Amino acid sequence: MRHWWQEAVIYQIYPRSFKDSNGDGIGDLQGIISKLDHLKWLGINVLWLSPFYKSPNADNGYDISDYQNIMDEFGTMADFDQLLAAAHQKGIKLIIDLVVNHSSDEHFWFQESRKSKDNPYRDYYIWRPPLNGHATPPNDWISFFSGKAWDLDPITNEYYLHLFAKKQPDLNWENPKLRQEIYKMMHFWCQKGVDGFRMDVIAFLSKDTSFPNYAEGQFGNLKSYANGPRIHEFLQEMHREVLCKYDVMTVGEAFGVESHQINDYVGKSRKELNMCFHFDYVGIDRDEKNFFKAKPNWKLSDLKAILAKWDVALGEEGWNSLYFGNHDNPRMVSRFGNDGAFHKKSAKMLATVLMTMRGTPYIYQGDEIGMTNTPFHDIKELDDIQAKNAWQELVVEGGADPVEFMKDMNLTSRDHARTPVCWDASRNAGFTDGERTWLKINPLYEKINVTAAYEDKNSILWYYKKLIAFRQATPTLIYGAYQDIAPEDEAIFAYSRVLESDMYLIIHNFSDKITYFTVPKESLPKTEGIWRCCLANYEVTNGETQPNNHPLEMRPYESRVYHFTEMNFE
Ligand code: ISL
Ligand code: CA
């Protein structure tokens, strides 16, 4: 059984940074509507919108104060209805972000809940008395945004849990009344006609309600509250109560889920989710002990091992997602490619990986033109609460070296993905016609912008368009079996995709040096046939059309997609 969300190419929009339509320097829904033709031209099938609901923006919308109303800065519900209709009219589906592990502390439910211990909304959140009667939190958990994961609320002198910011109290999924409120909200959006949900930190919904101390150190605590005892019960209830009633897709942000657990979430017989984003390579270039510290010399063989591990774990039972960028990660060309001498080649190479692997590819806004990381010189230039709280804790209170900290932020900050999309070379990169923008503009905008990319037929943008069309027209690239054919190679990433007798051989040079590669005999088809290089990010002379009879000379960041056609002897 094949589904539309397996054949789709999905594009993520972070509304705050996509396009401003009213000159206040903040992206908005009308801005997205004004750029739908760009997305239609690109050929994407689905839009994922990061949160656009009412929010005080402690975490830029991932702190929701009203799930059924639009954030003031982004516009009105009429704007949303217009966006949804316009996208559907252009044949583009739209999925929305479901952030229900926590709400904003400004949500009506929390305002009520904190009033008294017997308030009807008390158990919509997770409250615990101080340990042994004095101001000690119930356990040693820390927040992802620094500090403790518990905050003592003076009104009732109890702690409430917040795995993220203080202003993001965790919702209590043990409470069936809360769960029914969430399902009612999901029906509201499904009845409007949205085509699915991306689900924020979905594996955290069920916690061990004895709230034990950590098993291990920072981030090792994921075992303490990810994949809790009732997570599958809750997701199957959500499926029964809401999801099974609509033709919608779901993708869980599976922070904390390990490959051996994945088909419990996305197995086709599970009636839970359709696919997930895993986090196994999000830390590949990060210091094990300090997530904000970069570890630049990551190994290609480690990345390939992770990709292969998840492909095997999902097998035919599950379905994978592929992403190299999103609103929480630095720009992929700066992180996994080469944003200097080989900017264009490496951006195209990464795009080729994204579009030829097994699983639904996700493009993050601006990656289609190869937007790079932005130089941040001072903490005041950063907006992200994760960075600012870390600065406060590590530098201001902890005495860490501010220069070192900013060096790390220039490699790892989430703000890299949140600088405004560059639409042209005019002031403020065509993102706004106002004076200022909410976050600094990437200084390379005169060179790297959508308009310049349209005008350059050899641009990253045109290459994405070609790649997307190629993938959509090639079932073998969507459904074909995946096999890494050189897992140990630290420069070459080469794999096959096979569907029945149709075979593609895809070879990338992840290095800035010319690298020779011989396709292993055992990876080649046993039958006679002809090879054709059907897509590449360099000019391929006809001498390179035969990948099977001599070492291939792969140029820096070169990608080649070879198609094998069996010679049928009649
Ligand atoms: O700690 C991280 C590891 O990557 C963060 O990037 C991030 O907090 C984590 O991936 C969970 O992300 C989701 O939930 C957060 C929100 O800040 C992120 O933007 C969202 O993607 C809390 O809602
Ligand atoms: Ca605006």
Side-chain angles (χ1 to χ4, degrees):
M1 165 81 170
R2 293 180 171 180
H3 303 278
W4 56 267
W5 38 265
Q6 292 175 295
E7 307 184 350
V9 173
I10 300 183
Y11 186 98
Q12 180 193 356
I13 286 183
Y14 190 73
R16 198 170 194 82
S17 312
F18 189 68
K19 177 76 177 80
D20 171 26
S21 70
N22 64 346
D24 66 358
I26 301 171
D28 46 54
L29 299 181
Q30 282 297 334
I32 300 173
I33 292 169
S34 76
K35 293 297 177 184
L36 283 177
D37 286 334
H38 165 66
L39 302 173
K40 182 73 193 157
W41 174 87
L42 192 53
I44 57 115
N45 313 95
V46 181
L47 270 187
W48 152 28
L49 285 194
S50 272
F52 49 81
Y53 321 98
K54 270 225 187 313
S55 164
N57 287 305
D59 185 16
N60 289 350
Y62 282 91
D63 51 316
I64 296 166
S65 55
D66 182 342
Y67 286 92
Q68 296 177 205
N69 252 311
I70 306 300
M71 187 189 297
D72 299 340
E73 300 93 317
F74 287 177
T76 64
M77 188 58 87
D79 294 328
F80 176 80
D81 294 339
Q82 185 189 342
L83 169 56
L84 181 61
H88 283 169
Q89 191 269 322
K90 292 174 193 300
I92 297 174
K93 290 180 182 288
L94 191 146
I95 69 172
I96 61 177
D97 219 310
L98 187 73
V99 187
V100 292
N101 172 70
H102 47 271
S103 75
S104 165
D105 64 345
E106 297 183 25
H107 194 291
F108 165 76
W109 297 337
F110 189 75
Q111 289 306 310
E112 285 300 306
S113 178
R114 65 190 295 243
K115 275 180 184 167
S116 68
K117 293 181 189 174
D118 55 5
N119 183 288
Y121 291 92
R122 185 68 173 182
D123 287 342
Y124 276 40
Y125 295 87
I126 298 168
W127 295 94
R128 288 292 184 281
L131 266 195
N132 342 317
H134 45 272
T136 311
N139 68 18
D140 62 0
W141 291 4
I142 52 167
S143 152
F144 284 101
F145 295 162
S146 303
K148 291 258 171 236
W150 299 90
D151 205 56
L152 186 64
D153 198 51
I155 301 177
T156 57
N157 194 38
E158 285 207 333
Y159 284 93
Y160 68 86
L161 176 69
H162 59 86
L163 297 182
F164 294 93
K166 281 191 178 54
K167 286 183 68 64
Q168 292 172 292
D170 278 52
L171 289 163
N172 174 20
W173 273 74
E174 300 296 321
N175 180 350
K177 273 204 307 237
L178 180 271
R179 300 203 302 270
Q180 286 305 323
E181 295 266 21
I182 299 297
Y183 302 150
K184 206 168 83 203
M185 175 268 287
M186 292 175 73
H187 278 297
F188 169 82
W189 290 104
C190 291
Q191 278 151 20
K192 273 185 170 294
V194 302
D195 301 290
F197 299 96
R198 174 269 187 186
M199 300 188 180
D200 199 55
V201 289
I202 195 66
F204 293 0
L205 299 190
S206 162
K207 283 106 173 162
D208 175 345
T209 50
S210 67
F211 293 104
N213 276 337
Y214 283 144
E216 45 205 273
Q218 186 198 19
F219 285 163
N221 58 43
L222 288 174
K223 293 178 181 46
S224 307
Y225 44 72
N227 314 300
R230 299 180 67 187
I231 186 62
H232 297 296
E233 175 198 337
F234 293 159
L235 290 177
Q236 286 166 17
E237 180 184 74
M238 181 190 283
H239 189 274
R240 217 176 28 254
E241 294 273 340
V242 186
L243 299 172
C244 72
K245 300 176 184 339
Y246 306 92
D247 177 18
V248 291
M249 70 156 269
T250 51
V251 52
E253 185 202 29
F255 194 19
V257 175
E258 299 183 13
S259 56
H260 68 276
Q261 300 164 311
I262 191 63
N263 276 342
D264 292 342
Y265 287 87
V266 303
K268 47 191 158 196
S269 58
R270 294 286 296 175
K271 298 188 183 330
E272 293 189 21
L273 304 177
N274 298 133
M275 62 185 113
C276 279
F277 299 126
H278 70 74
F279 276 64
D280 257 359
Y281 50 72
V282 161
I284 198 164
D285 57 349
R286 298 294 172 86
D287 179 293
E288 279 72 26
K289 280 186 282 310
N290 175 355
F291 192 71
F292 305 116
K293 194 159 209 46
K295 182 182 75 179
N297 48 3
W298 56 275
K299 287 168 60 186
L300 179 62
S301 57
D302 290 346
L303 177 63
K304 296 189 288 188
I306 291 167
L307 290 167
K309 177 175 72 169
W310 282 84
D311 186 74
V312 168
L314 287 153
E316 293 311 313
E317 181 56 21
W319 186 258
N320 206 0
S321 69
L322 251 303
Y323 71 99
F324 285 134
N326 60 29
H327 64 291
D328 289 335
N329 282 283
R331 285 286 176 184
M332 67 190 226
V333 68
S334 300
R335 181 180 198 182
F336 296 118
N338 173 315
D339 60 10
F342 297 100
H343 170 252
K344 204 181 240 187
K345 291 296 183 214
S346 69
K348 290 179 177 180
M349 179 201 74
L350 290 170
T352 313
V353 176
L354 205 54
M355 293 299 150
T356 58
M357 294 289 283
R358 190 169 81 110
T360 299
Y362 288 73
I363 300 169
Y364 180 63
Q365 68 178 40
D367 284 344
E368 77 272 26
I369 58 171
M371 279 183 73
T372 60
N373 281 354
T374 295
F376 294 115
H377 307 297
D378 183 298
I379 188 68
K380 285 194 287 296
E381 290 188 337
L382 292 172
D383 164 83
D384 179 15
I385 187 168
Q386 190 168 41
K388 292 193 297 193
N389 285 7
W391 169 271
Q392 180 60 30
E393 180 174 74
L394 301 176
V395 175
V396 176
E397 292 160 14
D401 172 0
V403 173
E404 269 308 298
F405 183 89
M406 285 311 295
K407 231 167 74 194
D408 286 332
M409 280 302 127
N410 273 287
L411 290 168
T412 62
S413 170
R414 304 194 301 178
D415 280 313
H416 286 303
R418 303 173 181 189
T419 64
V421 171
C422 301
W423 293 99
D424 59 41
S426 72
R427 198 167 56 91
N428 287 327
F431 168 75
T432 177
D433 48 22
E435 282 308 303
R436 304 175 39 70
T437 54
W438 73 278
L439 187 64
K440 79 186 277 191
I441 298 269
N442 189 312
L444 297 177
Y445 75 93
E446 285 158 321
K447 195 166 70 76
I448 301 178
N449 65 70
V450 174
T451 303
Y454 274 127
E455 284 152 12
D456 166 12
K457 281 290 186 322
N458 191 29
S459 64
I460 298 162
L461 180 68
W462 276 96
Y463 187 81
Y464 261 91
K465 177 182 171 69
K466 192 165 68 171
L467 258 178
I468 292 168
F470 178 57
R471 177 189 174 85
Q472 288 164 334
T474 313
T476 303
L477 291 183
I478 297 173
Y479 294 108
Y482 166 84
Q483 180 61 49
D484 187 329
I485 64 171
E488 302 312 316
D489 199 306
E490 292 300 351
I492 296 292
F493 182 12
Y495 47 91
S496 61
R497 300 293 315 277
V498 176
L499 188 64
E500 285 128 33
S501 66
D502 193 42
M503 174 177 186
Y504 285 84
L505 200 52
I506 299 135
I507 304 169
H508 310 282
N509 178 4
F510 258 72
S511 82
D512 56 1
K513 308 214 175 3
I514 288 188
T515 306
Y516 291 88
F517 176 67
T518 302
V519 177
K521 279 261 166 302
E522 63 276 17
S523 309
L524 293 167
K526 307 290 168 262
T527 53
E528 274 301 296
I530 48 166
W531 287 97
R532 190 173 57 83
C533 181
C534 52
L535 193 139
N537 64 346
Y538 277 79
E539 281 310 305
V540 176
T541 60
N542 53 25
E544 283 130 359
T545 54
Q546 293 307 317
N548 51 343
N549 54 15
H550 53 66
L552 292 172
E553 179 182 292
M554 295 297 285
R555 289 158 285 190
Y557 298 102
E558 180 166 12
S559 278
R560 284 189 215 150
V561 179
Y562 289 101
H563 183 219
F564 176 75
T565 315
E566 228 168 24
M567 195 76 87
N568 35 20
F569 302 96
E570 262 95 40

